[in-house]
Amino acid sequence: MDWLITQISAHKIPLGAGAKVIFDWMKVNLNGLFDWISLILEGLIDGILWMLHAPPALLVIAVFVALTWVLQRNWKTCLGVALGFLFIVNQGYWKETTESLTLILASCLVCMGLGVPIGIAAAHRPRLYAAMNPILDLMQTLPTFVYLIPAIVFFGLGMVPGLIATVVFVLPAPIRLTHLGVASAPTALLEAATAFGATPRQRLWKVELPWALPQIMAGLNQTIMLSLSMVVISAMVGANGLGIPVMRALQSVNAAKGFESGFVIVVVAIVLDRMLRREVKK
């Protein structure tokens, strides 16, 4: 039995070497494409960061509270959002919070912009979804640190590789939830729309998407939460934000600073969750 194990181990499948060959080829032949992607993402990040940094902190907080009122119509939720952001200002982490929010908002725009159309296409083509499913499983189960290696190779250090790693990790959530929502549209409802002369495009916009809206909003919520979970990991490749003080606290074994910055991340997560949560009305 040991002989068999030795023989199997001696003929190792060159998985790592094959991946290195692919990465080297992409770096040489797709360098222009990566520069173009980096330029677009840097513009997106800089634009969001300017909108959060340029106005006074209290004005930005007021905008978030107003957005919460539009989404929730609940003064208690608005008060909670305001208190959460004021607590962050009180702790001195407003700049880091806006940098993390920039990464989160940018990843939401990219993930929802890609995930919703892909999810719709997968719902209409079961074979496409069956082919995509193993890839989505790989994207969600592969350790997130592994994403950072090609991100650094192709995009260097900074916010862009952190955004790329976040998108790869988060993208399966909106795809799957959009697919679930569109695919679960009742057959009778679709047949009735067709009987009344609706075109496939009209069925999509007037039947399938309204039916799938709760699942799409759940996908947006999951996108935000999963992006926030990547804040500390993205700091390892130079992405600014709340991950930086956490990393510094870890390196200096500073329990007070670690708890302080970690608790601020929790407050941000709670605030964003309350802003987007959809309560089921009975």
Side-chain angles (χ1 to χ4, degrees):
M1 191 61 102
D2 291 340
W3 173 83
L4 180 60
I5 296 296
T6 303
Q7 290 299 314
I8 294 174
S9 301
H11 298 83
K12 181 179 178 180
I13 299 174
L15 182 63
K20 183 178 184 303
V21 170
I22 294 173
F23 289 149
D24 290 342
W25 182 88
M26 292 175 66
K27 186 176 181 181
V28 172
N29 295 277
L30 301 179
N31 190 50
L33 175 63
F34 293 135
D35 289 342
W36 181 72
I37 294 174
S38 179
L39 186 64
I40 293 176
L41 294 181
E42 282 179 359
L44 177 64
I45 291 170
D46 291 342
I48 297 174
L49 196 59
W50 179 84
M51 287 190 295
L52 294 176
H53 272 179
L58 292 179
L59 179 58
V60 176
I61 293 172
V63 171
F64 275 101
V65 172
L67 180 60
T68 305
W69 174 255
V70 171
L71 295 173
Q72 301 295 338
R73 299 290 178 176
N74 187 321
W75 70 268
K76 294 181 181 178
T77 304
C78 293
L79 179 61
V81 170
L83 291 177
F85 279 125
L86 289 175
F87 171 79
I88 293 170
V89 173
N90 171 262
Q91 295 296 303
Y93 285 93
W94 178 249
K95 181 176 181 292
E96 291 82 359
T97 299
T98 55
E99 290 168 345
S100 292
L101 286 174
T102 297
L103 186 62
I104 293 169
L105 293 174
S107 66
C108 284
L109 290 174
V110 175
C111 289
M112 298 304 290
L114 294 175
V116 172
I118 293 174
I120 293 171
H124 291 157
R125 298 169 180 81
R127 290 185 179 179
L128 174 62
Y129 185 70
M132 288 169 46
N133 214 23
I135 300 174
L136 298 178
D137 290 338
L138 179 66
M139 292 168 68
Q140 285 189 308
T141 56
L142 197 67
T144 50
F145 293 99
V146 178
Y147 300 142
L148 300 180
I149 300 173
I152 294 173
V153 171
F154 299 141
F155 300 100
L157 296 175
M159 294 285 279
V160 172
L163 176 58
I164 294 294
T166 301
V167 168
V168 173
F169 175 66
V170 175
L171 187 58
I175 292 177
R176 282 186 158 141
L177 285 166
T178 301
H179 168 270
L180 175 64
V182 175
S184 64
T187 304
L189 196 60
L190 296 174
E191 290 177 348
T194 304
F196 279 99
T199 64
R201 179 175 295 181
Q202 289 173 330
R203 289 202 319 175
L204 172 64
W205 286 100
K206 296 185 178 182
V207 178
E208 292 175 333
L209 286 181
W211 181 270
L213 185 59
Q215 283 78 16
I216 294 174
M217 290 301 296
L220 176 60
N221 186 284
Q222 286 298 301
T223 298
I224 291 175
M225 293 299 108
L226 291 172
S227 299
L228 189 56
S229 72
M230 290 288 291
V231 163
V232 177
I233 296 174
S234 299
M236 296 181 179
V237 293
N240 296 325
L242 292 169
I244 298 295
V246 173
M247 293 293 297
R248 289 174 179 169
L250 180 63
Q251 292 169 355
S252 61
V253 198
N254 189 333
K257 191 173 185 61
F259 179 82
E260 189 178 82
S261 53
F263 193 75
V264 168
I265 294 176
V266 173
V267 171
V268 173
I270 294 173
V271 166
L272 295 177
D273 179 68
R274 295 301 182 272
M275 285 180 63
L276 295 170
R277 176 174 292 184
R278 288 286 186 178
E279 299 292 345
V280 179
K281 296 182 180 180
K282 298 182 179 180

